[in-house]
Amino acid sequence: MKKWYKRYITWFCMALCILALVGCSAKEEQVSALSKEENENTATLAFSWSPSGLDPHSADSWEIMRSGAAETLIKLSKELVPEPWLAKSWEQVDETTWLFELQENVKFHNGKAMDATAVKDSLQRAIDNHQGTKDLLKIKTIEAVSKTQLKIQTTEVNAALISNLADPGTIIMDVDSLDSEDSYPAFTGAFVVKQFNQDESLIVQRYEDYWGDKAKLDEVTIKYISDANTRLMALQSGDVDGATDISVEYIEVLGKNEQLEVLTAQSLRTHLVMYNMDSPLFKQLAVRKVVDSLIPRQEMMDSVLMGQGTVAVGPFSSILQFGQLDQMEENQSVDGLMEQDGWSKNRDGLWEKDGKVFEATFLTFPQRPELTVLAEVIQSKLLEQGMKVNIRQVENIDETLVNEEWDLAMYSMLTAHTGSPHFFLETFYKTDSASNMNHFASRTVDAMIDEMHGTTDPEKSTELAIEIQEEIAEEVPHSYIVHPNTVFAVNKDLQGFEALPIEYYYNHANIDKE
């Protein structure tokens, strides 16, 4: 009995010792993990737009580029000058042939080497999968001349090819990586995708085998927050270190916070009203002219945007040579134009035709909250003149424009994101363009755009771009309102995060956190 008792006591003491050792080990591991987490240099950013997926050759290419995970052959400088990126250099062999020398020692995120064949496959997929990219590049053939040399032949003279290769739709990737269900697409950027949660977040981490200067941050979490107020509160609470697309009404509030800094830049973006040319209300030019004439641009610039931007005369900012247009004035009165189209005022002071009151659906979206405010101002001005407009906010403006009925829509576009006028004029105004969402059609404009694409002389190209805009302005398919400034805000501990005219180099290797 005593022997059994002594043995029991011995076992019990040994068990206590083992538990104590396990407990100490667990605590040490926990402290070690905590220490490692604290030592990691990480940042969290809030973006307003969420991609539906990570396929770069889709409408989500901009958001993928903004993550810092992907790259193109060409990059644009702050001055919109094409610079080498994955392409080390290039030369024009003849009018339609270009030879590119690629960077050496570039690895995709899955470890495979990037060579000319891989770049060829990626570009071919880009033009096969997206009509807009195909229209931009006008590529006839792509040939891998050697491991580091790529030859591109275009279907016609394409003077803007080099700058257009900076478009996010031309992101270079290992196309075979899309076949894997166990991993994300393999790009070449300073950051590699760690985790993607649709509509919520994208987590990227430093790519240790990056061919250029390695990222200073170990990891960046990008939170997708479409609501402007929520982005602001996340910034103020410290949940995020930086936020894009800050409403101008918050600039003064943020300026009073000693830990936060507001970043602004003159952008190449244009806020505009889009008219549905197939809508019974806006098929006629006269009605489009009426709405255009009633938009109080300077008033909205001063009151809604609080001076953060410039009034728009055309689609391009006047800081660009091809954006220097003269203001066109409408000489006819509102009444004269409406009566010209068969409208008459009823007893309630509303315009009426064929027994139906003028009543339009006006789309807007939450990601750029100032657009809804601008829409409300326009709504009020039109009602004063007897035109009823019902504002409808939608989450995905592009899908709604394509798939549903509408009359008017607020829209916002980075109109010169490749540093040239070609992209916007081609995608928005060519009759057969998939991005021509308001169904504008003009053989004259189509021919002028084709001529501009074949013009290599910069001065002549600028002249043609201005003439095209003047021709388009006669038909008023859009009303250009303002060129807003880009407004971001950051915690002062975050270094290197910038507001730039170009809006897709958000996260990059040189961002750091103190």
Side-chain angles (χ1 to χ4, degrees):
M1 181 76 176
K2 286 183 179 179
K3 289 182 180 180
W4 179 88
Y5 179 75
K6 286 180 180 179
R7 193 178 297 124
Y8 174 79
I9 294 296
T10 302
W11 288 344
F12 182 72
C13 291
M14 288 176 65
L16 287 176
C17 290
I18 292 169
L19 286 172
L21 287 172
V22 170
C24 288
S25 177
K27 285 182 180 179
E28 285 175 4
E29 287 180 7
Q30 192 173 18
V31 169
S32 176
L34 184 62
S35 176
K36 182 181 178 182
E37 185 176 324
E38 287 177 348
N39 289 331
E40 285 187 344
N41 192 16
T42 65
T44 302
L45 305 173
F47 291 178
S48 55
W49 297 90
S50 171
S52 58
L54 298 181
D55 186 340
H57 305 146
S58 68
D60 295 314
S61 59
W62 286 44
E63 304 311 319
I64 297 166
M65 179 73 85
R66 288 170 172 172
S67 72
E71 298 171 318
T72 50
L73 290 178
I74 308 296
K75 187 176 184 179
L76 296 179
S77 70
K78 294 179 182 179
E79 294 75 31
L80 306 179
V81 177
E83 295 181 336
W85 210 2
L86 290 176
K88 185 163 58 176
S89 61
W90 56 88
E91 63 172 310
Q92 187 170 9
V93 179
D94 56 43
E95 283 191 338
T96 59
T97 308
W98 297 79
L99 191 63
F100 295 84
E101 187 71 30
L102 304 178
Q103 299 283 0
E104 299 172 357
N105 302 317
V106 178
K107 288 184 178 180
F108 291 110
H109 292 158
N110 56 7
K112 289 176 63 175
M114 185 202 80
D115 58 17
T117 299
V119 173
K120 170 193 169 183
D121 293 343
S122 182
L123 287 176
Q124 189 62 56
R125 183 179 184 276
I127 61 180
D128 288 344
N129 281 33
H130 198 269
Q131 185 64 42
T133 304
K134 183 178 181 179
D135 293 341
L136 267 181
L137 302 183
K138 300 183 182 299
I139 288 178
K140 181 179 181 180
T141 61
I142 311 173
E143 179 186 348
V145 179
S146 68
K147 283 191 174 183
T148 60
Q149 283 192 322
L150 187 79
K151 184 164 73 174
I152 292 178
Q153 185 176 14
T154 56
T155 56
E156 58 192 70
V157 177
N158 186 358
L161 176 66
I162 299 303
S163 60
N164 285 350
L165 282 169
D167 181 270
T170 68
I171 284 171
I172 303 302
M173 66 171 300
D174 174 24
V175 296
D176 292 336
S177 65
L178 283 173
D179 297 332
S180 175
E181 297 181 357
D182 301 324
S183 61
Y184 295 110
F187 306 118
T188 62
F191 291 90
V192 57
V193 176
K194 178 181 179 181
Q195 184 178 348
F196 174 59
N197 304 298
Q198 188 175 342
D199 299 325
E200 294 180 9
S201 65
L202 173 63
I203 303 173
V204 295
Q205 60 187 17
R206 180 172 53 231
Y207 183 44
E208 298 298 343
D209 289 332
Y210 182 56
W211 62 275
D213 294 334
K214 289 184 176 55
K216 294 179 179 179
L217 291 171
D218 296 300
E219 187 172 287
V220 177
T221 297
I222 299 167
K223 292 185 176 181
Y224 297 114
I225 306 174
S226 62
D227 182 72
N229 291 326
T230 308
R231 282 199 304 278
L232 177 70
M233 288 188 289
L235 187 66
Q236 291 174 317
S237 67
D239 286 345
V240 302
D241 300 297
T244 65
D245 304 318
I246 296 295
S247 296
V248 292
E249 62 189 286
Y250 301 142
I251 292 178
E252 185 176 352
V253 174
L254 291 170
K256 295 176 181 178
N257 190 320
E258 294 182 356
Q259 190 56 36
L260 300 177
E261 180 181 4
V262 176
L263 309 172
T264 63
Q266 193 170 11
S267 81
L268 304 178
R269 179 168 293 280
T270 306
H271 289 344
L272 56 94
V273 173
M274 185 182 293
Y275 301 100
N276 187 348
M277 308 286 277
D278 286 346
S279 163
L281 295 176
F282 291 103
K283 277 186 176 180
Q284 300 303 318
L285 174 61
V287 181
R288 300 197 297 274
K289 283 185 174 181
V290 167
V291 175
D292 183 75
S293 69
L294 292 174
I295 297 174
R297 292 168 172 82
Q298 189 61 56
E299 176 187 325
M300 293 193 293
M301 170 56 64
D302 296 337
S303 60
V304 180
L305 272 75
M306 300 179 184
Q308 289 289 335
T310 56
V311 169
V313 175
F316 305 112
S317 169
S318 60
I319 64 172
L320 300 163
Q321 282 190 320
F322 49 83
Q324 297 173 12
L325 305 179
D326 295 326
Q327 178 72 55
M328 295 182 64
E329 299 289 341
E330 177 54 54
N331 296 322
Q332 286 182 274
S333 66
V334 170
D335 288 359
L337 287 167
M338 293 298 286
E339 289 168 1
Q340 177 183 316
D341 191 38
W343 295 88
S344 59
K345 283 276 184 76
N346 63 18
R347 294 179 181 178
D348 298 323
L350 299 175
W351 288 104
E352 188 177 280
K353 183 167 72 171
D354 299 328
K356 294 182 179 179
V357 169
F358 186 100
E359 189 168 5
T361 299
F362 196 177
L363 302 180
T364 185
F365 50 96
Q367 287 84 354
R368 297 191 178 276
E370 70 272 21
L371 296 185
T372 299
V373 182
L374 294 175
E376 290 170 351
V377 174
I378 295 170
Q379 178 191 45
S380 176
K381 293 294 182 181
L382 295 183
L383 186 58
E384 289 175 6
Q385 295 295 326
M387 306 168 78
K388 290 182 66 176
V389 171
N390 303 312
I391 295 174
R392 178 186 165 209
Q393 191 172 86
V394 298
E395 189 64 31
N396 191 317
I397 185 67
D398 291 323
E399 285 186 5
T400 305
L401 290 172
V402 172
N403 299 318
E404 299 183 29
E405 293 184 1
W406 56 281
D407 301 304
L408 297 160
M410 290 299 305
Y411 205 77
S412 184
M413 184 76 182
L414 196 63
T415 52
H417 79 290
T418 63
S420 79
H422 295 68
F423 172 81
F424 181 76
L425 297 178
E426 174 90 23
T427 57
F428 259 51
Y429 297 111
K430 281 294 287 286
T431 302
D432 58 355
S433 170
S435 298
N436 184 349
M437 293 174 286
N438 68 323
H439 314 294
F440 174 78
S442 168
R443 291 182 180 178
T444 301
V445 170
D446 288 348
M448 293 173 76
I449 290 173
D450 289 340
E451 182 183 357
M452 182 180 64
H453 272 297
T455 303
T456 55
D457 179 71
E459 290 187 10
K460 178 61 177 175
S461 180
T462 296
E463 289 176 9
L464 276 168
I466 291 174
E467 289 174 11
I468 292 168
Q469 293 172 75
E470 290 172 344
E471 182 69 26
I472 290 169
E474 296 287 344
E475 296 298 322
V476 198
H478 301 103
S479 287
Y480 308 103
I481 304 174
V482 294
H483 304 298
N485 287 348
T486 296
V487 183
F488 294 168
V490 297
N491 188 298
K492 290 182 179 178
D493 290 340
L494 192 69
Q495 306 295 317
F497 189 64
E498 300 177 272
L500 300 170
I502 295 297
E503 296 182 12
Y504 40 73
Y505 302 136
Y506 286 178
N507 185 36
H508 53 82
N510 290 322
I511 293 179
D512 203 356
K513 192 175 177 183
E514 293 182 348

